[in-house]
Amino acid sequence: MLSSNAKRQKLSKNRSRLATASKCVSKQVGAVIVKDGRILSTGYNGTPAGYTNCCEHWDGEYTKDHHEWSKTYEIHAEMNAIIWAARKGISIEGATIYVTLEPCSECSKNVIASGIKRIVYNKAYEHTHSEVISQFIKDNGVVIEQLTI
């Protein structure tokens, strides 16, 4: 049986592998929702299925205009994982979400509203006011922690 730390490291590798499916020219982010040792749902950042991918729109190059375009057209990894679970009728109440990048304020609100009770992330997100968002998450009864491997 794997120790708690070994399980966390294994999930970290899974979400990192999942992030490589992202077609974003800026960041490749993956999310895995887990409960009772079972993977319930996964997601990565990208446009809705069938829409032009970020890498196609920007010809594989990051530009200063990307962030604004992304806010309009791309779905974050956390939301894709939550949406997939909802579409398939999978309850994520009380689950943990493992994410390669710290959730933004919008994703944080949706994670709270979805019933997820714990957020574990790898890297800080430069567009998030970490202290404010982390406190907001904690004030809503959700644990948030940065994974150090």
Side-chain angles (χ1 to χ4, degrees):
M1 186 156 229
L2 292 175
S3 70
S4 177
N5 193 41
K7 286 180 187 175
R8 287 171 44 161
Q9 288 178 348
K10 186 174 182 179
L11 285 167
S12 178
K13 289 178 186 173
N14 284 341
R15 69 177 178 239
S16 294
R17 273 191 231 118
L18 181 63
T20 63
S22 169
K23 306 293 188 271
C24 183
V25 296
S26 174
K27 291 176 178 45
Q28 289 71 49
V29 183
V32 179
I33 300 176
V34 176
K35 185 174 180 182
D36 299 328
R38 301 273 182 191
I39 294 175
L40 302 177
S41 186
T42 62
Y44 56 87
N45 60 326
T47 57
Y51 195 76
T52 302
N53 286 311
C54 173
C55 61
E56 295 159 353
H57 180 82
W58 296 103
D59 293 323
E61 298 291 325
Y62 177 79
T63 73
K64 62 180 176 62
D65 298 320
H66 172 271
H67 186 69
E68 287 303 314
W69 184 90
S70 175
K71 288 194 302 188
T72 301
Y73 298 104
E74 289 187 302
I75 303 170
H76 288 184
E78 303 93 324
M79 285 310 304
N80 267 326
I82 291 168
I83 291 165
W84 181 258
R87 285 180 65 184
K88 299 301 177 183
I90 300 168
S91 173
I92 56 174
E93 185 81 30
T96 296
I97 188 166
Y98 293 86
V99 193
T100 54
L101 192 65
E102 177 184 23
C104 70
S105 60
E106 290 300 312
C107 286
S108 296
K109 290 183 276 189
N110 288 301
V111 166
I112 292 165
S114 76
I116 289 172
K117 291 299 178 192
R118 185 166 162 243
I119 302 167
V120 181
Y121 68 94
N122 282 27
K123 294 181 354 184
Y125 180 42
E126 71 270 15
H127 297 292
T128 295
H129 301 291
S130 295
E131 298 81 25
V132 173
I133 298 303
S134 287
Q135 189 58 54
F136 172 69
I137 290 167
K138 291 172 188 172
D139 288 348
N140 280 280
V142 178
V143 175
I144 183 166
E145 60 186 280
Q146 185 170 8
L147 184 63
T148 52
I149 296 180

